[in-house]
Structure formats: structure tokens, C-alpha cells
Amino acid sequence: MVRKIAILGSTGSIGRNALRVIDALGPDYKVVALTGHSNVELLAEQSRRFLPDFIGITDPSKAGELKERLGGAGGRILAGPESMTEIAALDDVDIVITAVVGAAGLEAVLEAAKKPKVLAIANKEPLVIAGELLTATAKENGATILPVDSEHSAIFQALQAGNADEVNKIILTASGGPFRKATAEQIEKVTVKEALAHPTWSMGPKITVDSATMMNKALEVIEAVWLFDTPVEKIDVLIHPESIIHSMVEFVDGSVIAQMSPPDMCLPIQYALTYPRRLEGISSHIDFGKMGSLTFEEPDRSIFRALDLGFEVARMGGSAPVVFNAANEAAVEEFLAGRIKFVKIVELIEHCLNIHDIKSKMSLDELLEADRWARGQVHERLRALERIG
Ligand code: NDP
Ligand code: MG
């Protein structure tokens, strides 16, 4: 049976890898919809190559250029952010790969969860900010959430070795990013270029900066809470610079199951598409004889303060993760634009959390309001700091 696939964010790092995986899987996997935001040239090229029925361009000002570039080839063009929800809602889609960056993907993934589809989730921010709503919606409507994030794919695979009540601990591994060995003084002077030079993974700019602050791992702790319905107390973070073990599960008898593979997102993407089967794919295999040593260390929580904040926010719940994520998105944008220092990112997140009154049991509108509030507070704070001078 042919599996019909929609990719939200096909022009990004995950989206491009997903297309490589689908291409290699052959005719049983068919792309029926793609979306991109600003990279019209690539979206047009992908559309000519994969001939989807629907092509979404979320930045509506680019729709004309897309139409021109396609010159009648490819499927129906949908423009604006709502193109993602329209595509996510299509009955004729079996698997939705969510590969957009940030909270922008929230409404679409919630829409996809209203039908009995497979949601292959790379876009972790919606799970962080609306984990309760998203998992409940999926459960109610028979949608299956499968992780694409490499750590969560690893945990998902390892969990198959035992029962849920036999899990003692989930050990999320982290590469430690480019500043694993940096001192507080060195971190002060980090440039955008340095933050974007990840030692083991090639990814989009936002998640690469998140890896450098370890915000990515903090977001992944919250992501794991919702994906695996697990208390945050059962989650540990361990630095593993080689990025070969993608995470581990320790069971009550002391047995630890680890998932290993070279650092390549094609494998977790493919597993989410072929689950529960495993198929030959394009990812390389480990050569243990040539691999060298695997090493582990504790994260430096005094330098990477985002990590403890993530655990705290997971415990607080309600609107705290929304503010945590939105403040980070706004601050990372400022950093990438060269307007703030690297260390300011976490300071701004802390500031927003400090002045926020946590609300619980929130509707989608309330979640979006808390998201807007935090982004506004980041800019407010930066203006205030500028005035002080
Ligand atoms: P990229 O920045 O490479 O790609 C982001 C994608 O989202 C692009 O298709 C981009 O379109 C689109 N996009 C950007 N802004 C918007 C918007 N406002 N509305 C709709 N679409 C938008 O990111 P990654 O592929 O690296 O990451 C995607 C998600 O996957 C993130 O949530 C990340 O945390 C997660 N992830 C990524 C991993 C990786 O290896 N890259 C690993 C694990 C998780 P365009 O380029 O056309 O502007
Ligand atoms: Mg990850």
C-alpha cells in the first residue's frame, strides 16, 4: 500500500533529508504535499522533482514568484501560514512530517492530530508548548505521534525492550555543542559564526544555536515528558560528544538499552516513516573497529544554565514552557541578527520567566497569547536595557 506523505517545511534541513529518504524508499512512499516559507527556488525545484498535489508557501508575498518558477508544473499552490493547516487536514495524507522551525508549526500539527494519521514530529517546539493539548488531541482522534528528533527516536526504540512500568530512567544524550569545554569568559565573547559551527550535527540555524546554549536539550527534556508520558524526575542528561549513542533507557533491573548509529537524521526520519518495520536505507552503518572510544561526562550546569531552567519549567508546567520557548525563539532571532550577545539569550529567558504569572489548563488561544506576551517582553527588555545604556 502506498503511504502518502506531506512535509511541512520541506526546504529546511530536516525537510531536505526527508525527501532524500523518501526518494530512496521507492514508489511505496509518495510525496503529496510540500510547504516552504522563503526559499522559493528550492520549493519549486522540489515540486518539479516530486510532483506533489499541493504546494504551500507560508510567506504569502512569495506566492507569485513560486507560480512563475513552476510555470504550471506541479500541484495546486496554497499561500499563507494557513496553507500548513489546510495541508495537515487533508484526508488523503497518511503521514505528516512536521519539519518547520519554532512555534509556527503549532496550529498545523494540532490540525493533523485531529485525524487518524501518523505525525512524524521533528518540530519540537509545539510539543514543548502544547504537549498536553497535542497528545490528548492525538489520542482522542487515533493519530499516532512518532518522534523524529534523534534522541526521542532512540528512546522510542529502546522502550520497546520492556514495559512502561519497568522504566527506571531515561538518559538523554547531548553532544555538548561547540562550547562544551568553554569557560565563562570564553562564552562571553562567542560570535554567531562560532555558535553556528556544530561539531557533530548539520542542522538549521535556530536549533544549532539552541545546541550551543543547551536550550535544545532543555526543550528535549520537555519533549520527552510529553512523548513518553514520563515524569521529569525520571529524565537525566548526559554529555556524549561523539553523538553515536542517541539516548538510552535504563530499566528497573539495571539493564540499559542504547540506540546507536552515526549522527545522521536520515535514520530517525526513515524509522518514523517505516515504523513498525525497518528497511534498508541511505544512512551509513557503524564500523565499530574504526570508531574509537565513546566518552561521557556530566554537563556543566553553571555555564549551561538553560538546562536546569528546562527541568524547572517542565516541573512548573502550564504556561511556563510556552514562555520558555517563545522567549528563546525571540532571543535567538536577535542573536542571529547580531543585535545581542550569546549570553544574553538565556538571561532574557530567565527575565521572562521571572516576571511571568504561570497559568495552567490553557486553551490554544491562551497558549498563543502567552507566546506573544513572552516575545513582546524580550523586545521590551532589550529596549529598556538600551535606554539604561
Ligand atoms: P531549518 O531552519 O533548516 O528549516 C526550517 C523550515 O521551516 C524551512 O522549511 C523553512 O522554510 C520553514 N519555516 C521557517 N519559518 C517558517 C514560518 N514562519 N512558517 C512556516 N515555515 C517556516 O530547520 P531544521 O530543519 O533544522 O529544523 C526543523 C525542526 O526540526 C526544528 O523544530 C528543529 O528543532 C527540529 N529538529 C531538527 C534537527 C536537524 O537535524 N536539523 C534535529 C532534530 C530536530 P524556508 O527555508 O523556505 O524559509
Ligand atoms: Mg535532538
Side-chain angles (χ1 to χ4, degrees), residues 2-317:
V2 174
R3 308 281 282 151
K4 295 179 181 166
I5 305 171
I7 308 179
L8 308 178
S10 64
T11 48
S13 163
I14 291 284
R16 292 191 306 268
N17 277 325
L19 284 172
R20 286 178 56 218
V21 168
I22 294 166
D23 201 22
L25 284 173
D28 285 350
Y29 293 82
K30 179 167 171 27
V31 173
V32 294
L34 295 175
T35 81
H37 186 64
S38 61
N39 194 342
V40 188
E41 192 179 349
L42 181 58
L43 184 60
E45 188 189 314
Q46 292 175 339
S47 302
R48 275 196 300 271
R49 165 81 183 75
F50 289 90
L51 301 174
D53 302 327
F54 296 90
I55 309 160
I57 178 82
T58 44
D59 178 348
S61 71
K62 306 267 179 173
E65 189 190 339
L66 178 64
K67 206 169 167 193
E68 233 169 74
R69 281 183 183 274
L70 281 170
R76 210 178 117 205
I77 296 175
L78 306 171
E82 57 285 0
S83 62
M84 290 197 293
T85 31
E86 284 173 55
I87 286 171
L90 291 171
D91 282 320
D92 213 22
V93 169
D94 305 307
I95 305 175
V96 179
I97 303 179
T98 71
V100 304
V101 60
L106 173 61
E107 279 150 302
V109 72
L110 279 170
E111 194 59 40
K114 291 181 188 161
K115 304 232 169 103
K117 303 174 195 230
V118 168
L119 313 188
I121 298 189
N123 181 206
K124 67 191 79 182
E125 294 87 348
L127 260 172
V128 168
I129 65 188
E132 192 170 5
L133 186 59
L134 179 55
T135 50
T137 308
K139 206 168 171 185
E140 246 166 59
N141 298 289
T144 307
I145 295 179
L146 295 177
V148 168
D149 209 349
S150 57
E151 295 77 2
H152 303 76
S153 176
I155 295 162
F156 180 64
Q157 294 177 58
L159 283 172
Q160 292 169 35
N163 293 323
D165 62 356
E166 295 160 356
V167 172
N168 200 39
K169 211 161 46 175
I170 286 175
I171 304 163
L172 263 177
T173 53
S175 69
F179 310 129
R180 180 169 61 90
K181 296 279 189 201
T183 61
E185 292 72 41
Q186 288 166 328
I187 291 269
E188 270 288 325
K189 300 193 195 96
V190 159
T191 64
V192 172
K193 196 170 165 216
E194 286 165 342
L196 288 177
H198 197 281
T200 49
W201 292 100
S202 157
M203 311 179 285
K206 191 261 178 182
I207 184 175
T208 306
V209 174
D210 286 351
S211 299
T213 53
M214 288 201 77
M215 253 316 266
N216 183 48
K217 214 46 55 180
L219 296 172
E220 288 183 354
V221 168
I222 306 170
E223 186 185 5
V225 166
W226 293 114
L227 278 175
F228 307 115
D229 190 18
T230 196
V232 68
E233 289 71 29
K234 283 199 174 187
I235 304 176
D236 269 359
V237 169
L238 182 67
I239 304 283
H240 166 48
E242 296 81 16
S243 302
I244 296 291
I245 293 182
H246 299 299
S247 278
M248 306 184 249
V249 174
E250 183 192 275
F251 290 91
V252 283
D253 58 359
S255 191
V256 176
I257 308 292
Q259 188 268 334
M260 297 190 229
S261 52
D264 174 0
M265 287 308 295
C266 290
L267 180 57
I269 292 169
Q270 174 170 308
Y271 189 61
L273 298 181
T274 65
Y275 174 81
R277 293 192 62 204
R278 291 183 184 275
L279 298 179
E280 237 177 78
I282 50 175
S283 303
S284 57
H285 294 203
I286 296 176
D287 182 341
F288 281 96
K290 295 204 177 100
M291 186 169 60
S293 342
L294 298 185
T295 59
F296 305 94
E297 57 195 65
E298 292 289 344
D300 185 337
R301 289 166 186 269
S302 64
I303 290 205
F304 297 103
R305 293 203 310 281
L307 203 50
D308 281 346
L309 275 183
F311 278 92
E312 213 180 306
V313 160
R315 275 187 286 270
M316 290 192 273

Side-chain angles (χ1 to χ4, degrees), residues 307-376:
L307 203 50
D308 281 346
L309 275 183
F311 278 92
E312 213 180 306
V313 160
R315 275 187 286 270
M316 290 192 273
S319 53
V322 184
V323 169
F324 185 58
N325 177 71
N328 179 54
E329 283 192 33
V332 169
E333 230 176 271
E334 293 297 307
F335 171 69
L336 284 171
R339 290 191 287 265
I340 63 169
K341 289 208 290 189
F342 180 74
V343 285
K344 202 88 213 145
I345 299 173
V346 175
E347 277 174 39
L348 285 163
I349 300 168
E350 279 170 334
H351 167 76
C352 289
L353 286 170
N354 285 340
I355 60 167
H356 178 65
D357 289 325
I358 297 174
K359 292 186 203 70
S360 54
K361 290 273 167 236
M362 300 203 301
S363 66
L364 176 59
D365 283 345
E366 288 165 327
L367 285 169
L368 295 172
E369 176 51 36
D371 177 284
R372 273 192 298 275
W373 176 85
R375 287 171 204 262

